[in-house]
Amino acid sequence: MKTFFRPAGRYAGQALVYLLFAAFLGYFASAPKYTHFPPDQALIKLSLAHGAKRVGGCRRFTRAELQEMAPNMRRPLDCPRQRLPVVVEFVIDGKTRYSAAVPPTGLSGDGPSRIYQRFAVSPGKHAIVARLRDSDRSEGFDYETTAEIELAAQQSVAIDFRQEMGGFLFRW
Amino acid sequence: MQALQRPLQAVFNVLEGWLDRPFGPDWNPLYHLGALGFFYFWVVAVSGIYIYIFFDTGISEAYDSVEYMTHEQWYLAGVMRSLHRYASDGMVAMMMLHLVREFSLDRHRGSRWFTWFTGVPILWLVVICGITGYWLVWDTLAQYVATATTEWLDWLPIFGESVARNFLAPYFLDDRFFTLMVFLHIAVPLILLLVLWIHLQRVTKPEIFPARGLAIGSFAMLLGLSLFWPALSQGPADLSRVPAVVGLDWFYLIAYPVVEIWGAGPAWALAFGGSMLIAVLPWLPPLRKRSVAQVDLANCNGCTRCQEDCPFAAITMIPRSDGRPFEREAMVDPELCTSCGICAGACPTSTPFRRASAFVPGIDLTDQPLSDLRQRIHDGTANLTGDRRVLLLGCAHGIGTGKAVADNVAAVQLPCIGALPPAFIDYVLSRDLADGVFLAGCKGGECYSRFGLRWTAQRLTGQRDPHLRARVPRERLGQLQAGARSGKHLATAVRAFQAGLPQRPPEPESPRTREAETV
């Protein structure tokens, strides 16, 4: 190779390249800062995994139906696996921010309905109403929770649903 | 595709030229990106094993143990933590540069598809390693990474339960999640190592450790960076708060802003679609396969030199099949052969002096045989006159020697400079076909076919068989200096060589009347 630099100059050149690469690594390892959420806002997360009631009730197999089944597959009741959708309505300060009928998960539609929603709100007091329907009723809701919460900037609250604990729960 | 490759190649050309000056070809980082990637991997592995000793898995213990390392034992565990992070970032930088450069040089198609294709899972595995690593620190960045990752994963219909629910609030978090993360952060690098091994299966003598000077320089750089700019945590994670502003590691976490701007579905489409596109690049379009090397058993004595020199493990030695009194014979795997011709350059029977029998070496390219090269040399040098006649033998992937670069210079191309048997140089000079022979390899001192330049240098200096005979006057042999990377450089070098050629002593006899030499 043609010698463009004397040895000392070559090492100095190498040091400069290493210095530039080190600066590149050091800087982009944690900078520039990324703002992924407005710092002057608070966060409400609505998340639940809840299985609604089955689509229909159980019925007894007829004698003829039982005769057609293999002996080891015979059972008295026919219970559908599929669940109803879970209907959820979420209101913040009188404004409906989320309203949906969430279908069940699973290939047979027998898993829980899953909801995960994020709502950025301004800091301060907020009136929250959360409603959920998991039955085949056509109107109204099976569960309803009303609460007033106060949030600071960048504070986060999670709203969960546990049927065995009576409905919606606020997790701070 | 060439419209994309050419500008990239031009950029690399300039950068390589700049780096050649202080580093030289042996230490130029751009010529050793894969080896540097491996080097950073080992730094990550060793530093990771050390910091694992002090790491505690637990919601509060994880952060506290990392803080202990960073501040209490900063001189060792803290430095190790910084080395772990910066070497990881360096590995990503080397990996991406390696990918782009190999693509720009068109070294991903044909028989090289396997190495390229197996590189795609490496991209994913490295990123997964980084994400699980950031998770373990359990600072505000980890909290962001955990939340964003699980929200992104939840878009895929593969989890029965929402994974993101684990990070809704402090109530939901479990120590066992950290145990799972530690397991992943150890298991995934081991899988990565396995895939790296597969990645190199079709590469002979892979360079998995850079030259000592480059390794020392790179480690010193990492150490200096770790001491002067140590890696720090970004405050303890608190799931009751939103870490609104985070210092992202852009080497690993660049996808997260994309997820937030585009949404989870399009971001997955980009990730999977981009990976698929990269994976199928070798066939967009497929490389027109040249005829591969072929063994001529009548001239093969199973000496193994072609196998030793093949850069792509395309030659294996198998038991003799023709009954001749040799133990083995060479066999070419057409799937692996890149038609570089280095095997023909290595064959001891590749001597152009043959007259008594047809010039058929033990191994040769069928569409570019050495007999054809001998003929092209004769044709090219026939028009040279005077006493400073030069034969320029150049690599087809090099600067370009398709036309003469100076007066009284005949140019002949080879598929690779390593495809030139040294006997040809002896032949040209002893037969008075030219007064000097000039060899021009690939640009910048890095061979397209990996070993062409290295083997040629070793053959010419007698370190590797077949070597150049001692009787060849070395002052009549010129080589393009590594670092030159343009036609202008080549022309200048050839003219300088031509001007420095010594006068030929009067010939005692005409070459035409010399008796034929045979092997």
Side-chain angles (χ1 to χ4, degrees):
Chain A
M1 180 190 157
K2 188 174 176 182
T3 307
F4 291 91
F5 290 74
R6 291 179 179 178
R10 286 188 61 185
Y11 288 123
Q14 288 180 24
L16 179 66
V17 173
Y18 283 126
L19 193 66
L20 289 173
F21 187 55
F24 173 73
L25 283 185
Y27 181 72
F28 286 105
S30 59
K33 299 280 185 199
Y34 174 61
T35 304
H36 74 98
F37 186 81
D40 58 347
Q41 297 273 291
L43 180 66
I44 299 174
K45 288 181 182 175
L46 172 67
S47 173
L48 57 91
H50 175 61
K53 293 186 171 55
R54 307 282 176 184
V55 170
C58 298
R59 70 173 182 87
R60 286 199 167 276
F61 281 113
T62 63
R63 189 175 293 273
E65 285 173 324
L66 286 169
Q67 284 298 322
E68 284 177 16
M69 290 181 196
N72 64 322
M73 299 296 286
R74 286 176 191 157
R75 58 195 187 279
L77 295 175
D78 175 22
C79 297
R81 292 176 63 181
Q82 195 178 356
R83 293 182 183 277
L84 292 162
V86 170
V87 179
V88 173
E89 196 171 274
F90 191 62
V91 181
I92 304 174
D93 298 330
K95 190 176 171 187
T96 302
R97 300 286 293 269
Y98 181 74
S99 176
V102 185
T105 53
L107 294 174
S108 303
D110 59 344
S113 298
R114 283 166 39 179
I115 294 170
Y116 185 92
Q117 295 289 322
R118 296 157 53 104
F119 306 98
V121 295
S122 55
K125 288 184 178 174
H126 295 281
I128 307 289
V129 182
R131 303 184 183 104
L132 182 143
R133 181 166 72 228
D134 62 357
S135 65
D136 57 357
R137 62 193 286 177
S138 55
E139 285 186 5
F141 290 89
D142 300 302
Y143 300 90
E144 177 170 328
T145 299
T146 304
E148 187 174 85
I149 58 172
E150 185 168 5
L151 295 169
Q154 295 185 39
Q155 193 173 0
S156 171
V157 61
I159 300 174
D160 188 17
F161 181 86
R162 288 292 164 95
Q163 190 176 24
E164 68 275 16
M165 295 174 80
F168 288 99
L169 299 168
F170 288 71
R171 311 275 197 191
W172 299 85
Chain B
M1 207 52 78
Q2 284 186 348
L4 202 57
Q5 288 172 311
R6 280 205 196 102
L8 286 171
Q9 215 176 91
V11 171
F12 276 111
N13 235 351
V14 172
L15 293 175
E16 286 158 14
W18 286 350
L19 293 182
D20 263 340
R21 297 183 180 191
F23 286 92
D26 289 343
W27 290 6
N28 187 332
L30 289 175
Y31 299 152
H32 307 282
L33 292 168
L36 276 174
F38 257 101
F39 176 72
Y40 287 127
F41 176 85
W42 294 122
V43 174
V44 173
V46 172
S47 56
I49 290 168
Y50 186 81
I51 57 180
Y52 181 65
I53 296 168
F54 298 95
F55 183 74
D56 277 339
T57 53
I59 298 168
S60 58
E61 291 88 345
Y63 181 81
D64 291 343
S65 63
V66 175
E67 284 299 278
Y68 166 78
M69 286 186 256
T70 308
H71 299 291
E72 300 293 318
Q73 207 200 107
W74 64 269
Y75 48 89
L76 195 53
V79 168
M80 285 292 193
R81 181 198 177 188
S82 301
L83 281 175
H84 196 65
R85 175 178 293 188
Y86 292 133
S88 305
D89 291 337
M91 188 165 67
V92 172
M94 292 304 118
M95 182 177 71
M96 298 313 294
L97 278 171
H98 184 49
L99 182 146
V100 176
R101 187 165 180 274
E102 294 303 296
F103 167 74
S104 75
L105 293 171
D106 205 30
R107 296 201 292 208
H108 62 294
R109 297 192 296 153
S111 300
R112 289 174 164 186
W113 73 268
F114 179 83
T115 312
W116 176 270
F117 192 82
T118 52
V120 178
I122 291 173
L123 301 176
W124 280 81
L125 289 167
V126 167
V127 171
I128 293 170
C129 289
I131 289 171
T132 52
Y134 271 110
W135 205 310
L136 288 176
V137 180
W138 204 232
D139 60 353
T140 52
L141 175 62
Q143 182 184 340
Y144 168 71
V145 170
T147 311
T149 307
T150 50
E151 286 175 1
W152 195 21
L153 281 172
D154 274 345
W155 186 89
L156 298 172
I158 54 174
F159 299 103
E161 284 281 326
S162 162
V163 193
R165 278 176 59 78
N166 289 294
F167 303 98
L168 275 181
Y171 164 83
F172 292 89
L173 196 57
D174 195 294
D175 282 347
R176 283 192 294 178
F177 213 89
F178 286 88
T179 310
L180 173 66
M181 280 299 122
V182 168
F183 171 75
L184 284 177
H185 196 57
I186 294 171
V188 178
L190 290 175
I191 297 169
L192 171 64
L193 194 59
L194 174 70
V195 180
L196 283 168
W197 176 74
I198 295 169
H199 182 59
L200 299 175
Q201 281 309 292
R202 289 195 177 184
V203 179
T204 314
K205 301 176 184 70
E207 188 191 6
I208 56 170
F209 203 81
R212 191 176 295 172
L214 183 57
I216 291 171
S218 300
F219 186 76
M221 181 271 294
L222 287 174
L223 191 61
L225 181 60
S226 301
L227 286 168
F228 289 105
W229 202 342
L232 300 172
S233 302
Q234 299 183 23
D238 178 2
L239 290 173
S240 65
R241 295 185 60 76
V242 192
V245 182
V246 287
L248 275 194
D249 181 330
W250 293 89
F251 295 96
Y252 280 98
L253 309 174
I254 197 166
Y256 290 80
V258 177
V259 176
E260 286 181 10
I261 294 165
W262 284 15
W268 277 124
L270 180 69
F272 285 125
S275 301
M276 289 289 286
L277 179 66
I278 293 172
V280 301
L281 274 178
W283 298 277
L284 293 178
L287 188 70
R288 192 171 58 85
K289 183 91 177 168
R290 306 186 74 157
S291 62
V292 298
Q294 204 164 33
V295 177
D296 182 75
L297 281 185
N299 288 288
C300 173
N301 63 8
C303 70
T304 74
R305 283 174 194 154
C306 55
Q307 184 201 26
E308 276 289 310
D309 284 9
C310 176
F312 299 101
I315 299 172
T316 45
M317 304 307 294
I318 58 170
R320 202 75 197 185
S321 63
D322 60 354
R324 294 184 68 206
F326 299 111
E327 197 179 332
R328 291 165 296 184
E329 67 187 41
M331 186 184 74
V332 178
D333 183 342
E335 287 299 311
L336 304 183
C337 179
T338 62
S339 313
C340 64
I342 287 179
C343 52
C347 185
T349 63
S350 296
T351 169
F353 289 102
R354 289 195 200 187
R355 284 261 178 98
S357 59
F359 182 18
V360 182
I363 189 165
D364 203 357
L365 296 176
T366 48
D367 65 345
Q368 309 166 80
L370 289 176
S371 57
D372 180 48
L373 175 67
R374 184 172 68 176
Q375 189 56 50
R376 284 189 288 132
I377 287 172
H378 274 281
D379 295 344
T381 54
N383 298 325
L384 301 179
T385 54
D387 56 0
R388 292 194 194 280
R389 300 163 299 155
V390 171
L391 171 66
L392 170 61
L393 292 164
C395 167
H397 300 284
I399 292 165
T401 52
K403 57 181 181 183
V405 294
D407 291 339
N408 221 20
V409 175
V412 174
Q413 269 197 358
L414 298 137
C416 171
I417 201 67
L420 180 74
F424 271 73
I425 300 167
D426 188 12
Y427 180 77
V428 170
L429 295 175
S430 64
R431 293 298 166 94
D432 197 25
L433 300 176
D435 300 305
V437 176
F438 194 92
L439 307 182
C442 278
K443 295 178 208 177
E446 196 204 20
C447 177
Y448 176 86
S449 298
R450 300 187 62 226
F451 296 144
L453 286 171
R454 199 195 300 179
W455 295 165
T456 301
Q458 292 181 7
R459 289 170 191 164
L460 297 186
T461 52
Q463 299 168 54
R464 192 175 196 88
D465 278 334
H467 55 78
L468 185 63
R469 291 173 72 174
R471 73 175 189 180
V472 176
R474 289 336 196 235
E475 67 276 14
R476 296 193 178 276
L477 176 62
Q479 291 180 70
L480 181 60
Q481 302 297 304
R485 49 188 64 255
S486 70
K488 196 174 157 190
H489 274 127
L490 176 63
T492 307
V494 172
R495 282 197 209 102
F497 168 71
Q498 194 175 26
L501 279 175
Q503 290 283 343
R504 278 226 175 216
E507 288 289 333
E509 57 179 324
S510 164
R512 307 287 177 208
T513 59
R514 199 175 292 161
E515 284 196 14
E517 294 180 52
T518 56
V519 175

